[in-house]
């Protein structure tokens, strides 16, 4: 039987709706919220207001792009958490109302699981090289940095996590120090591609297990810039590309070190990337090169599934639907990660 799933994502500052036919993508519409740019970070109250404005047009556009009517849908999936509560409330209330109105099954989805399961979306007629279990997943976003051992679709074990900032935050905070707008990660990537990554060196965190730390790196970057600005007011503008490349090199170095350690410790040499930072070109290249050299199987997600999107919510909803794991309207959103 063919299943049409509508996915709704509203956990942070992107309002997104997607339609899947089984595991195949028909539409994935994302409305980014520009309103946060000038504040240097997401302002929760503004995010919820923008979701409220965006949600109806985004869902409507996704269904039009998919060429379907709401009466054709079989199931509705939404992000229950983790995320900003005010943002989650908009998407979850909308999904619950729609499922009640249309008499459709409702499925709650964990945002982090969804980032990982985005690897099982089929984008076009070519069946991709789906990961085989078990595999490791480095989930790197603005809110999370963790390594999961994925033994099955819904059997995931957290084996390492950040003890302070997330990798995306490290990118965004470095960008902010350089005077770049939020979210700065993509800009650090863009300017870094034109710079010399060995020009400036930053200290590596000394964390023994599979956990990560980025706050020391951020602080040393801040002091480094502050000290240079004392003697050269143009230090940032005249070195922007090299500063971005060097900071990016340091962050990617931390991530690569832990990936290698996780593979050695678990004996699982299949590694997938997920989350917003997996769009980073230096990280993608470093992992592909290292994977080639070491004989690892590497899964790099298509760009549209790296940052927050509803296609990943829809695939997770579809996989849950297949195993009869439905939700009730009583389930309320949660802000903290359950992993
Ligand atoms: O997964 P995501 O969209 O949202 C969260 O769940 O956090 O990730 C957003 C994060 C931001 O910190 C953003 O700066 C970062 O991903 N990001 C990047 C790149 N594209 C997005 N960081 C580095 N390089 C990129 N190309
Ligand atoms: Zn995310």
């Amino acid at each position: 039987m063919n299943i049409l799933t509508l996915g709704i994502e509203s956990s942070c500052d992107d309002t997104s709706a997607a339609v899947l036919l089984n595991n195949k993508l028909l539409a994935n519409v994302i409305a980014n919220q520009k309103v946060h740019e000038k504040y240097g970070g997401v302002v929760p109250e503004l995010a919820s207001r923008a979701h409220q404005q965006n949600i109806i047009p985004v869902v409507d556009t996704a269904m039009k792009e998919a060429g379907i009517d709401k009466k054709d849908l079989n199931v509705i999936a939404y992000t229950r958490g983790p995320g900003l509560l005010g943002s989650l409330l908009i998407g979850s209330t909308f999904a619950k109302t729609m499922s009640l109105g249309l008499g459709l099954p409702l499925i709650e989805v964990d945002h982090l699981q969804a980032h990982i399961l985005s690897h099982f979306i089929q984008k076009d007629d070519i069946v991709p090289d789906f990961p085989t279990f078990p595999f490791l997943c480095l989930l790197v976003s603005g809110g999370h940095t963790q390594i999961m051992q994925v033994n099955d679709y819904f059997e995931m074990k957290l084996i390492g996590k950040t003890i302070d900032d997330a990798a995306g935050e490290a990118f965004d905070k470095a960008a902010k120090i350089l005077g770049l707008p939020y979210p700065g990660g993509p800009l650090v990537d863009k300017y870094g591609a034109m710079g010399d990554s060995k020009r400036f060196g930053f200290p590596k965190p000394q964390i023994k297990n599979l956990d990560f730390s980025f706050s020391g790196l951020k602080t040393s970057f801040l002091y480094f810039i502050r000290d240079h600005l004392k003697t050269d007011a143009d230090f940032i503008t005249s070195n922007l590309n090299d500063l971005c490349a060097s900071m990016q090199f340091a962050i990617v170095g931390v991530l690569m070190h832990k990936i290698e350690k996780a593979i050695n410790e678990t004996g699982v040499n299949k590694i997938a990337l997920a989350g917003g930072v997996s769009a980073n070109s230096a990280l993608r290249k470093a992992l592909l090169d290292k994977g080639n050299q070491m004989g690892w199987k590497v899964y790099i997600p298509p760009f549209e599934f790296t940052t927050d999107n509803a296609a990943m919510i829809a695939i997770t909803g579809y996989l849950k639907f297949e195993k009869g794991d439905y939700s009730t309207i009583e389930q309320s959103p949660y802000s903290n990660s359950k992993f």
Side-chain angles (χ1 to χ4, degrees), residues 9 11-12 14 82 111-112 115 139-144 274-276 306-309 312:
E9 155 65 28
S11 66
C12 190
D14 296 311
H111 181 87
L112 303 182
H115 267 300
L139 172 53
V140 265
S141 70
H144 302 274
T306 55
T307 45
D308 290 346
N309 66 87
M312 68 185 197

Side-chain angles (χ1 to χ4, degrees), residues 26-29 60-68:
L26 300 185
N28 185 30
V29 176
D60 196 45
T61 309
M63 289 203 290
K64 284 199 178 105
E65 277 187 18
I68 63 154

Side-chain angles (χ1 to χ4, degrees), residues 3-7 17-22 24-30 57-75 98 123 310-311 314:
I3 302 297
L4 274 170
T5 307
L6 171 70
V19 179
L20 291 191
L21 173 62
N22 302 326
K24 199 171 160 197
L25 186 70
L26 300 185
N28 185 30
V29 176
I30 304 170
V58 164
V59 170
D60 196 45
T61 309
M63 289 203 290
K64 284 199 178 105
E65 277 187 18
I68 63 154
D69 186 82
K70 57 184 182 305
K71 291 194 288 295
D72 303 325
L73 288 168
N74 300 100
V75 54
M98 209 169 158
K123 253 189 80 173

Side-chain angles (χ1 to χ4, degrees), residues 153-170:
Y153 293 122
F154 296 101
E155 211 194 298
M156 303 182 182
K157 192 174 144 208
L158 180 70
I159 58 172
K161 63 177 188 319
T162 182
I163 57 166
D164 41 57
D165 293 345
E169 262 179 297

Side-chain angles (χ1 to χ4, degrees), residues 34-336:
K34 295 271 171 261
V35 66
H36 308 286
E37 265 175 19
K38 60 174 180 282
Y39 298 100
V42 177
V43 184
E45 174 64 22
L46 296 180
S48 340
R49 288 187 204 189
H51 282 305
Q52 195 125 33
Q53 284 162 355
N54 293 341
I55 190 101
I56 292 176
V58 164
V59 170
D60 196 45
T61 309
M63 289 203 290
K64 284 199 178 105
E65 277 187 18
I68 63 154
D69 186 82
K70 57 184 182 305
K71 291 194 288 295
D72 303 325
L73 288 168
N74 300 100
V75 54
I76 296 178
Y78 73 97
T79 309
R80 184 175 168 203
L84 300 170
L85 217 54
S87 292
L88 291 164
L89 277 168
I90 309 294
S92 61
T93 307
F94 188 90
K96 287 175 184 180
T97 311
M98 209 169 158
S99 93
L100 275 178
L102 296 168
L104 293 176
L106 177 73
I107 298 198
E108 53 101 8
V109 167
D110 181 87
H111 181 87
L112 303 182
Q113 269 184 343
H115 267 300
I116 295 170
L117 296 177
S118 66
H119 280 276
F120 296 94
I121 302 169
Q122 186 176 335
K123 253 189 80 173
D124 41 40
D125 288 332
I126 305 148
V127 181
D129 188 13
F130 294 128
T132 53
F133 302 112
F135 65 93
L136 301 181
C137 185
L138 174 72
L139 172 53
V140 265
S141 70
H144 302 274
T145 294
Q146 55 195 45
I147 304 180
M148 300 273 243
Q149 179 166 332
V150 187
N151 295 322
D152 206 339
Y153 293 122
F154 296 101
E155 211 194 298
M156 303 182 182
K157 192 174 144 208
L158 180 70
I159 58 172
K161 63 177 188 319
T162 182
I163 57 166
D164 41 57
D165 293 345
E169 262 179 297
F171 271 105
D172 295 339
K173 287 179 179 172
K176 194 174 177 183
I177 294 167
L178 295 173
L180 301 172
Y182 177 86
L187 294 169
V188 173
D189 190 352
K190 182 178 152 196
Y191 297 126
M194 300 179 281
D196 175 3
S197 62
K198 306 276 166 51
R199 171 94 185 278
F200 307 110
F202 301 103
K204 285 196 173 59
Q206 305 295 327
I207 310 285
K208 282 201 180 66
N209 50 22
L210 292 175
D211 288 344
F212 301 87
S213 168
F214 291 101
S215 71
L217 186 57
K218 175 195 67 191
T219 310
S220 78
F221 188 70
L222 176 68
Y223 290 165
F224 177 82
I225 299 286
R226 195 192 56 185
D227 290 347
H228 278 83
L229 284 176
K230 282 183 194 152
T231 51
D232 174 9
D234 293 329
F235 180 69
I236 293 177
T237 30
S238 40
N239 296 288
L240 185 63
N241 294 347
D242 291 348
L243 284 167
C244 287
S246 301
M247 184 58 173
Q248 177 169 267
F249 182 78
I251 298 171
V252 170
V254 174
L255 298 173
M256 288 303 301
H257 172 65
K258 293 296 163 126
I259 286 178
E260 187 166 7
K261 197 169 161 64
I263 289 176
N264 289 339
E265 284 183 15
T266 59
V268 176
N269 69 351
K270 289 174 276 174
I271 171 86
L273 283 184
V277 180
S278 66
N280 183 265
S281 55
L283 175 62
R284 292 163 90 96
K285 184 175 183 317
L287 188 57
L288 282 170
D289 290 351
K290 187 84 183 172
N292 267 339
Q293 182 198 331
M294 304 295 284
W296 303 339
K297 181 83 188 151
V298 172
Y299 303 99
I300 305 277
F303 281 108
E304 73 175 296
F305 304 146
T306 55
T307 45
D308 290 346
N309 66 87
M312 68 185 197
I313 306 304
I315 187 71
T316 309
Y318 168 68
L319 292 167
K320 281 184 134 183
F321 177 81
E322 286 286 277
K323 62 183 195 114
D325 187 357
Y326 303 162
S327 313
T328 65
I329 56 163
E330 281 80 33
Q331 286 163 319
S332 48
Y334 51 85
S335 50
N336 293 327

